[in-house]
């Protein structure tokens, strides 16, 4: 069994990005600039955004963090997005989710300029991705593709089962694994909460990609020997014996599933670090595309 070490691979990617940025600086070119809007004081969101800002510093990007109160109106947020769309110095930006209930998330995602949508959530980018056209791929699926590629895991002709159909992970992953090229060319089954005989379907999978947010959902007996297991889930589970009062659990019963799998991602340290690395990669692509357009 091989651990898919997202922490190591993400550091490799950041080092590669930093080398490109250093080259830009040497040529007196503008370096990539990533902005993030966060609305409210959600603890997990704040931690995630701060991690993104630190990652920008590490690779030499410029970064801007726009904080807005939890009482921000939809109109105020849309005004801020429009300013970032027009701000020439900013190459890409994200709106951190979730948003407060008074704001329509779909309306907000539609308002982001697709050329600056480094999260890859805009329908324009999603549509281009579906048609195998150049686009920003959502960072988590992009990270999973990169892990499969860098560990040279065969995907051609394999049966990939995706568990979960979110717009952020499950659905794009099902499209990407079925596309032409590598990683891809696999036969994909997309499963969800209403799928009948889900255990039977998973047991036939060469590759399982799971993102349902249910700790230890995927048991060892559900996968076949030598399956590749990609665990996207991460949940805080209360644990009085732990220093922080909780432990982080994935969607996979790692301890037992790892004894059967050929490759498996740990939680934490698997898909999570890859997400931020690929957000940086998308921002670098955004800078290069803007330079080419000019």
């Amino acid at each position: 069994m091989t651990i898919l070490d997202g922490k190591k691979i993400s550091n490799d990617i950041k080092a590669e990005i930093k080398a490109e940025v250093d080259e830009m600086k040497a040529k007196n070119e503008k370096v990539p600039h990533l902005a993030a809007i966060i609305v409210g004081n959600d603890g997990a969101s704040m931690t995630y955004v701060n991690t993104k800002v630190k990652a920008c510093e590490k690779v030499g990007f410029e970064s801007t963090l726009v904080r807005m109160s939890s009482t921000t109106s939809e109109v105020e947020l849309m005004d801020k997005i429009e300013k970032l769309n027009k701000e020439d110095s900013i190459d890409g930006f994200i709106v951190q989710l979730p948003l407060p209930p008074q704001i329509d998330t779909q309306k907000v995602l539609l308002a982001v300029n697709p050329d600056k949508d480094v999260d890859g959530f805009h329908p324009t980018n999603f549509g281009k991705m579906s048609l195998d056209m150049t686009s920003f791929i959502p960072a988590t699926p992009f990270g999973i593709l990169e892990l499969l590629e860098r560990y040279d895991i065969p995907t051609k002709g394999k049966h990939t089962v995706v568990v979960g159909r979110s717009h952020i992970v499950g659905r794009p992953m099902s499209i990407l694994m079925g596309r032409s090229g590598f990683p891809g060319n696999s036969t994909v089954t997309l499963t969800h909460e209403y799928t009948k005989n889900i255990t039977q379907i998973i047991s036939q999978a060469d590759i399982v990609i799971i993102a349902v947010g249910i700790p230890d959902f995927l048991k060892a007996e559900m996968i076949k020997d030598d399956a590749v297991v990609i665990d996207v889930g991460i949940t805080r589970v209360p644990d009085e014996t732990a220093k922080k009062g909780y432990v982080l659990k994935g969607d996979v019963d790692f301890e037992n599933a790892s004894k059967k799998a050929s490759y498996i991602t740990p939680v934490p340290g698997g898909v999570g670090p890859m997400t931020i690395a690929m957000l940086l990669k998308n921002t670098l692509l955004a800078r290069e595309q803007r330079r080419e357009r000019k």
Side-chain angles (χ1 to χ4, degrees):
M1 184 273 297
T2 301
I3 296 280
L4 296 171
D5 189 345
K7 201 168 182 181
K8 181 198 174 296
I9 299 297
S10 71
N11 284 333
D12 290 348
I13 292 164
K14 286 175 193 169
E16 290 161 15
I17 293 171
K18 186 178 186 304
E20 287 197 50
V21 173
D22 288 346
E23 210 173 298
M24 287 178 179
K25 287 177 179 175
K27 293 176 182 174
N28 281 325
E29 292 176 2
K30 181 189 176 303
V31 300
H33 186 164
L34 175 67
I37 301 175
I38 184 161
V39 185
N41 302 304
D42 180 76
S45 291
M46 282 302 303
T47 301
Y48 192 43
V49 166
N50 287 333
T51 306
K52 289 171 182 174
V53 170
K54 283 177 187 168
C56 282
E57 288 170 11
K58 190 173 179 180
V59 299
F61 283 10
E62 291 179 17
S63 66
T64 299
L65 179 55
V66 180
R67 297 171 187 258
M68 303 182 81
S69 77
S70 56
T71 57
T72 297
S73 70
E74 193 175 277
V75 171
E76 287 171 319
L77 178 56
M78 297 293 248
D79 283 347
K80 182 59 72 177
I81 288 169
E82 192 50 35
K83 280 178 185 167
L84 293 183
N85 281 338
K86 290 175 178 173
E87 178 56 61
D88 195 50
S89 68
I90 288 171
D91 299 296
F93 70 94
I94 62 160
V95 182
Q96 184 63 40
L97 304 179
L99 292 167
Q102 73 272 17
I103 297 171
D104 183 335
T105 300
Q106 290 289 4
K107 201 182 281 187
V108 165
L109 296 180
L110 277 168
V112 176
N113 178 349
D115 292 334
K116 293 189 176 188
D117 168 41
V118 288
D119 255 339
F121 294 161
H122 194 283
T124 297
N125 282 318
F126 199 97
K128 283 182 174 179
M129 178 196 73
S130 304
L131 295 168
D132 276 354
M133 295 167 69
T134 302
S135 68
F136 296 120
I137 297 172
T140 301
F142 198 5
I144 293 168
L145 293 180
E146 199 74 15
L147 276 177
L148 293 170
E149 187 172 341
R150 296 206 180 209
Y151 278 90
D152 201 23
I153 296 169
T155 58
K156 186 179 179 181
K158 301 294 183 182
H159 182 196
T160 298
V161 172
V162 180
V163 189
R165 56 178 172 183
S166 74
H167 295 166
I168 294 170
V169 180
R171 205 168 295 183
M173 212 62 240
S174 68
I175 294 165
L176 292 163
M177 289 302 288
R179 70 179 181 171
S180 179
F182 174 71
N185 281 324
S186 69
T187 302
V188 183
T189 304
L190 179 61
T191 65
H192 46 79
E193 60 187 311
Y194 299 111
T195 302
K196 292 178 181 176
N197 305 320
I198 192 166
T199 300
Q200 186 187 348
I201 293 166
I202 291 170
S203 71
Q204 297 164 9
D206 301 304
I207 302 167
V208 182
I209 300 167
I210 181 165
V212 291
I214 303 170
D216 292 343
F217 175 87
L218 191 73
K219 309 293 184 193
E221 56 268 26
M222 294 167 76
I223 62 169
K224 71 179 185 181
D225 290 342
D226 294 330
V228 177
V229 180
I230 310 285
D231 186 355
V232 186
I234 187 159
T235 306
R236 288 183 179 185
V237 177
D239 185 339
E240 290 176 10
T241 64
K243 193 177 177 183
K244 293 180 179 176
Y246 65 86
V247 290
L248 294 173
K249 287 258 189 183
D251 290 349
V252 178
D253 174 6
F254 180 87
E255 190 180 338
N256 295 303
S258 60
K259 293 167 187 170
K260 281 180 82 176
S262 56
Y263 294 88
I264 191 167
T265 57
V267 175
V271 173
M274 294 299 296
T275 299
I276 288 175
M278 302 323 283
L279 179 69
L280 296 176
K281 185 112 173 177
N282 273 344
T283 306
L284 180 64
L285 291 170
R287 168 90 291 267
E288 288 168 353
Q289 286 170 14
R290 294 187 77 216
R291 189 171 62 228
E292 282 170 18
R293 280 196 299 272
K294 282 184 177 180

